[in-house]
Amino acid sequence: MQKEILINVESQEKRVAAVEGGVLQEYYVERPSVTKLVGNIYKGVVKSVVSGIGAAFVDIGYSRDGFLYVSDIVSPAHDFDLLDDGGGGDTLSQRPRPKSSDINKLVQKGQEVLVQVVKDPIGNKGPRLTTHIGIPGRFFVFMPFDRHIGISKRVTDRVERERLRKILKKIAPPLKMGLIVRTAGVGKNERDFRREAKMLRSLWNRIQHNTDKIKPPSLVHEEYGLTFRILRDSFSEDINRILVDHRDEYKRLRNFANSIMPSMISKLMLYRERTHLFDSRGIEKEIEKLYMKKIGLKCGGYIFIEETEGLIAIDVNSGSFSRRNMEDTAFKVNSEASVEIARQIRLRDIGGIIVIDFIDMNLQSHKREIFNILLDSVKRDKAKIKILKMSEFGIVQMTRQRIRRGVRKVSYQNCPYCSGKGSVKSVTTMAIEILRVIKKEVEGARVKDIRTYVHPYVANYLLNEDRPSITKIESECKTKIVIIAEPEMHIERFRVEK
């Protein structure tokens, strides 16, 4: 099955789509205007310690203090099988669960701490921090403050796990630091691991050097941007190719790939066609569906996704699909919905508590099969997921790890027309879409000028923030772009006239 990663680069936005067999499976958005924190390492100062919740609030130089739980100081959260603690001592599973009052024994107000962001700020909460620094490479995660060695739980082959364990036992002791093998390490030899260990050790030495020189609160090490992370974390052997539609970004990615995966650099290609990259694969419409609450199924049924402050509710409906037997109808729709729900959760990067209301079924065998389909469908998700058994009412409860702001949160803002009860696309999103449409209209056509009618907020953004982008299009296409503010126009509407 053809697997591609598509990278679209605009002046105000980078988008990455993973397509498998022509179907959109993963989607990510990153904008330079939005601060990225996850993975960054900071030298911070403890501002306060609250034993009641077992957390310290740390100033890292961000607008809101980060919070450091006692559990993120005592023992690292992990999604790996521990092979050895590296020091002959107790393993994580044998350690007593820390009490909230223990936070006072571990950190004090005014203390300088080296921390890493593990979760972006959400709502009124600041970023979540940990003192267990983890520097991800392509094949493993380098843990300078821990002595543990382990293998990702996603690596299930026993023979491969034993082979990897032997390699770790050889290379870990001289480093005197922890190593956790990632799924990309499967099949790699000892030379590959030693090469990466040397590179990550050198990076850690630079981080330590920077830490000693600066005063808190300060950024010590910044995590890679979206496109570099995709190459490091998702560019596996089964990917047929990666297409990039921006020449400068392509050159940067090629240099990066040459340093960490030279054998796969031939799969990284520059997209040169006139048709927009995402349009060429027919996924632009699929991306637009990610912002809708109602998602149709092939059988005629549909699922409805409602995001609230506390949880996400997903309802499955039969819609126009019907069979003579109601049990068969429910089973068919629920089967298709299970796969689509797992896909939508992954694409939208939905996190927190999720409640799924399936169509009622009477047969226990059908309930078990639907549950197993859902379990199997979420296996490809990289986020941590926990699912409870289906209840007698056909309800499935699950939690999904929330690390970054979801796609909807990035692209939409609270609606000014309904006092925050709903949402509309942000000014930045509209400006990007309008420039994309203008570019399509003028490319390959001899147009002296093109007039675009937009909402005043969008017009102001285009004429100021996006002026360089407009100038560039005018220069390349030899046309004049006129932006006209229409006070009565809805913020999500615009009109292009040639």
Side-chain angles (χ1 to χ4, degrees):
M1 185 179 291
Q2 182 85 357
K3 294 184 180 180
E4 295 180 319
I5 294 178
L6 314 178
I7 299 177
N8 166 233
V9 179
E10 308 282 354
S11 58
Q12 295 293 327
E13 181 179 69
K14 291 181 181 179
R15 301 187 299 168
V16 175
V19 181
E20 187 175 322
V23 178
L24 180 65
Q25 294 293 349
E26 294 179 42
Y27 178 64
Y28 307 95
V29 180
E30 186 175 89
R31 293 176 178 173
S33 58
V34 179
T35 304
K36 302 173 291 295
L37 299 179
V38 172
N40 290 355
I41 300 174
Y42 295 87
K43 187 176 184 180
V45 179
V46 177
K47 301 295 287 185
S48 62
V49 180
V50 185
S51 58
I53 60 173
F57 289 86
V58 182
D59 180 8
I60 59 173
Y62 184 63
S63 57
R64 279 172 281 174
D65 291 341
F67 57 97
L68 179 64
Y69 282 124
V70 62
S71 58
D72 291 323
I73 303 175
V74 175
S75 59
H78 56 83
D79 188 25
F80 58 87
D81 288 330
L82 189 66
L83 301 179
D84 187 6
D85 70 351
D90 59 350
T91 64
L92 296 180
S93 60
Q94 296 172 326
R95 296 177 186 174
R97 183 180 293 273
K99 301 176 182 178
S100 60
S101 58
D102 291 340
I103 190 75
N104 293 295
K105 303 173 185 177
L106 299 170
V107 291
Q108 290 80 41
K109 183 178 180 180
Q111 179 180 337
E112 295 182 3
V113 287
L114 190 67
V115 292
Q116 186 171 34
V117 177
V118 293
K119 187 182 291 185
D120 269 336
I122 299 172
N124 295 321
K125 291 183 178 180
R128 183 167 175 173
L129 312 173
T130 181
T131 59
H132 292 274
I133 308 299
I135 305 175
R138 178 157 172 75
F139 306 137
F140 55 74
V141 178
F142 189 75
M143 303 171 71
F145 293 147
D146 294 290
R147 297 291 298 279
H148 312 108
I149 61 173
I151 299 173
S152 169
K153 291 180 180 179
R154 294 178 181 272
V155 181
T156 56
D157 184 84
R158 291 184 179 182
V159 176
E160 178 62 12
R161 291 179 67 84
E162 179 60 23
R163 187 188 72 86
L164 292 171
R165 187 188 70 81
K166 290 179 180 178
I167 293 177
L168 287 180
K169 287 285 189 180
K170 288 181 182 180
I171 66 175
L175 294 172
K176 297 181 180 180
M177 295 180 186
L179 296 176
I180 309 300
V181 177
R182 310 180 74 186
T183 52
V186 172
K188 301 304 175 183
N189 56 40
E190 184 178 333
R191 180 185 176 187
D192 294 325
F193 282 103
R194 288 191 180 278
R195 180 172 175 266
E196 182 163 283
K198 182 180 179 181
M199 180 184 71
L200 293 178
R201 181 58 188 263
S202 176
L203 174 59
W204 173 242
N205 288 339
R206 291 199 300 273
I207 292 172
Q208 284 184 305
H209 180 69
N210 292 339
T211 304
D212 294 337
K213 291 196 305 179
I214 62 176
K215 294 181 179 180
S218 297
L219 173 67
V220 177
H221 169 72
E222 186 173 14
E223 170 64 311
Y224 290 132
L226 173 61
T227 54
F228 280 57
R229 291 200 313 271
I230 288 296
L231 250 65
R232 182 191 67 195
D233 301 338
S234 302
F235 196 4
S236 53
E237 301 285 350
D238 62 341
I239 299 295
N240 296 97
R241 59 181 175 176
I242 292 184
L243 294 173
V244 189
D245 67 359
H246 189 279
R247 186 176 296 276
D248 291 341
E249 189 73 12
Y250 166 73
K251 290 178 180 178
R252 287 191 289 267
L253 291 175
R254 190 174 177 85
N255 289 335
F256 179 68
N258 193 46
S259 66
I260 65 169
M261 55 185 91
S263 62
M264 296 175 67
I265 199 169
S266 61
K267 293 184 177 183
L268 183 63
M269 305 174 185
L270 176 64
Y271 182 75
R272 304 171 185 269
E273 305 299 324
R274 283 187 174 275
T275 306
H276 189 275
L277 176 58
F278 282 13
D279 285 338
S280 70
R281 298 303 186 274
I283 62 171
E284 200 70 73
K285 291 182 179 179
E286 283 296 309
I287 292 171
E288 191 62 33
K289 290 179 183 178
L290 299 182
Y291 307 111
M292 299 178 181
K293 293 183 178 181
K294 185 177 178 180
I295 301 97
L297 303 173
K298 290 181 179 178
C299 66
Y302 65 89
I303 59 176
F304 196 86
I305 302 176
E306 184 68 60
E307 296 187 42
T308 71
E309 186 69 26
L311 56 81
I312 291 87
I314 302 178
D315 187 37
V316 181
N317 292 274
S318 58
S320 62
F321 180 76
S322 179
R323 287 182 175 175
R324 289 184 179 181
N325 187 306
M326 284 299 296
E327 182 74 14
D328 290 344
T329 297
F331 180 70
K332 170 64 177 176
V333 176
N334 285 340
S335 299
E336 196 171 313
S338 297
V339 177
E340 186 61 25
I341 286 169
R343 176 173 169 264
Q344 289 293 329
I345 288 172
R346 185 172 65 250
L347 286 171
R348 298 173 187 230
D349 200 10
I350 291 173
I353 300 171
I354 302 168
V355 178
I356 307 170
D357 182 11
F358 286 102
I359 302 173
D360 289 341
M361 297 175 293
N362 295 320
L363 296 179
Q364 290 299 319
S365 59
H366 279 173
K367 290 182 179 181
R368 285 193 298 271
E369 190 165 347
I370 293 301
F371 183 76
N372 290 332
I373 291 173
L374 182 62
L375 274 181
D376 188 60
S377 299
V378 300
K379 283 182 179 178
R380 67 180 301 154
D381 202 319
K382 295 176 183 177
K384 297 176 185 176
I385 291 177
K386 290 184 179 179
I387 306 180
L388 299 182
K389 293 284 187 180
M390 184 182 290
S391 74
E392 60 178 304
F393 302 113
I395 303 293
V396 171
Q397 301 172 70
M398 61 186 289
T399 61
R400 183 177 184 273
Q401 180 187 26
R402 177 188 279 143
I403 297 177
R404 295 180 174 87
R405 299 169 68 201
V407 170
R408 186 181 178 88
K409 295 291 185 183
V410 172
S411 300
Y412 280 69
Q413 64 184 18
N414 284 337
C415 177
Y417 304 108
C418 59
S419 303
K421 293 178 182 177
S423 59
V424 294
K425 292 181 180 178
S426 67
V427 170
T428 306
T429 299
M430 287 307 303
I432 292 170
E433 287 189 12
I434 290 165
L435 286 178
R436 194 175 290 146
V437 170
I438 290 174
K439 194 172 181 181
K440 288 180 185 178
E441 290 287 339
V442 299
E443 279 181 342
R446 295 182 179 181
V447 181
K448 290 185 178 181
D449 61 77
I450 187 165
R451 304 168 75 83
T452 308
Y453 298 83
V454 300
H455 187 279
Y457 292 168
V458 180
N460 184 61
Y461 190 94
L462 286 167
L463 295 172
N464 290 282
E465 302 295 329
D466 271 342
R467 171 57 71 182
S469 299
I470 291 174
T471 303
K472 184 179 179 182
I473 295 173
E474 288 178 333
S475 176
E476 290 177 347
C477 302
K478 294 181 174 55
T479 188
K480 183 174 179 57
I481 298 171
V482 181
I483 305 296
I484 302 170
E486 286 263 320
E488 300 300 318
M489 186 167 280
H490 189 285
I491 198 167
E492 287 191 339
R493 301 284 182 264
F494 63 91
R495 189 172 74 255
V496 177
E497 294 180 356
K498 291 189 278 188

